[in-house]
Amino acid sequence: MSKKNGYWVSAADIMSAMMIVFLFISVAFLAEIQDQQQVTNGLVQGYAETKGNINKALHQEFDKDLGRWGATLDDENMSISFEDPDVLFAPGSAELSPRFQEILNDFLPRYIELLTRPEYRDSIQEVRIEGHTSSEWHGELGTDNSYFNNMDLSQQRTRTVLQYMLTQFPLNPDNKAWMMKKITANGLSFSQRKYTSDGQEDMQRSRRVEFRIRTNAEEKMEQLKENYDKNH
């Protein structure tokens, strides 16, 4: 026992008071965790809904055209991939073929209109134009020389597509400013090759141009983590 202000305080009383304090701390901590989990769940749900809505819009707009363009639509990556290299560029060239220009003239205005809709534009972090090649370069396969030459070529090609996108179609100043902030050109050489069912490199399908949408869900999750780390 201890004596305080003329009263004896038992060890049991002290332990009870400590347990109450601990209980309050635990409740507050659990409430904070629950709030954090609710925010996280909301972000995950919002990401899934946004991704589903964008994919639905892409399918509604382009499904009927993909076959004649030699293109595919990947829901997981929210990407449209043009996979017929014979109509994209001449071998070793970054100049758009006449056929690819025709395709882009049909595709890009509709794609731009979809991206800049009010219900999507604030959720889009980046639109990546990706250039992919096979590992071949003048007979060489998968060498350093092949990799870096194809890196340079794929970057030139995506830059050409981006320049065409920003200069060949009437754009209001607000949409053009948004596009210049969000759309990037990315040459990836043969870092993401396609393969056949028996594990061999598919040279044709590896040579492609992709338009890939990334939402800002990843950025929001990172901000949430940073805020949590600062407070703990």
Side-chain angles (χ1 to χ4, degrees):
M1 294 184 181
S2 63
K3 190 173 183 179
K4 184 177 181 182
N5 296 328
Y7 295 96
W8 291 102
V9 181
S10 69
D13 291 335
I14 294 173
M15 291 299 295
S16 296
M18 292 178 64
M19 288 295 294
I20 292 172
V21 172
F22 178 75
L23 179 62
F24 278 122
I25 293 173
S26 299
V27 169
F29 180 70
L30 289 173
E32 182 179 355
I33 291 177
Q34 287 176 345
D35 290 342
Q36 191 83 9
Q37 188 63 48
Q38 288 176 353
V39 173
T40 301
N41 290 343
L43 286 174
V44 171
Q45 182 178 357
Y47 168 70
E49 290 178 355
T50 299
K51 182 177 180 180
N53 290 337
I54 292 176
N55 277 328
K56 182 179 179 180
L58 290 171
H59 279 288
Q60 288 177 339
E61 184 65 43
F62 299 117
D63 271 355
K64 63 183 182 298
D65 302 303
L66 296 175
R68 64 186 179 88
W69 289 344
T72 59
L73 201 165
D74 179 358
D75 288 354
E76 180 62 30
N77 295 309
M78 290 185 288
S79 66
I80 293 179
S81 177
F82 294 88
E83 298 179 341
D84 189 347
D86 293 335
V87 303
L88 301 179
F89 305 91
S93 172
E95 183 178 350
L96 300 174
S97 72
R99 174 58 182 150
F100 196 27
Q101 288 186 46
E102 290 178 4
I103 292 172
L104 293 177
N105 289 342
D106 190 7
F107 167 69
L108 286 176
R110 296 154 60 190
Y111 191 63
I112 293 168
E113 187 279 328
L114 189 153
L115 295 174
T116 54
R117 292 176 188 173
E119 62 266 37
Y120 303 136
R121 60 188 293 150
D122 291 340
S123 298
I124 293 176
Q125 175 69 19
E126 180 185 17
V127 180
R128 295 172 57 88
I129 303 174
E130 296 183 352
H132 301 269
T133 70
S134 68
S135 65
E136 185 178 21
W137 185 267
H138 297 305
E140 297 182 14
L141 293 175
T143 65
D144 288 351
N145 182 59
S146 172
Y147 178 79
F148 287 113
N149 282 324
N150 275 305
M151 178 67 73
D152 183 55
L153 177 62
S154 61
Q155 186 63 49
Q156 289 181 44
R157 286 176 169 177
T158 56
R159 184 183 182 281
T160 300
V161 174
L162 177 57
Q163 184 175 7
Y164 195 82
M165 188 176 190
L166 291 174
T167 61
Q168 296 300 309
F169 308 99
L171 300 169
N172 68 54
D174 183 52
N175 283 348
K176 187 165 187 176
W178 183 89
M179 291 170 62
M180 292 177 74
K181 180 180 179 181
K182 299 291 185 178
I183 301 177
T184 62
N186 304 270
L188 299 177
S189 188
F190 55 80
S191 61
Q192 297 181 23
R193 284 169 281 182
K194 299 285 188 178
Y195 294 90
T196 61
S197 58
D198 60 356
Q200 300 298 311
E201 180 180 353
D202 189 325
M203 297 292 186
Q204 289 289 102
R205 293 180 61 238
S206 292
R207 301 168 187 146
R208 64 197 189 277
V209 173
E210 293 187 7
F211 292 78
R212 184 189 302 260
I213 298 170
R214 293 179 61 245
T215 71
N216 56 16
E218 296 89 347
E219 181 184 32
K220 289 183 178 180
M221 291 294 288
E222 185 62 30
Q223 290 174 350
L224 186 66
K225 180 179 181 301
E226 289 177 1
N227 291 335
Y228 181 82
D229 291 342
K230 286 179 183 178
N231 296 321
H232 294 84

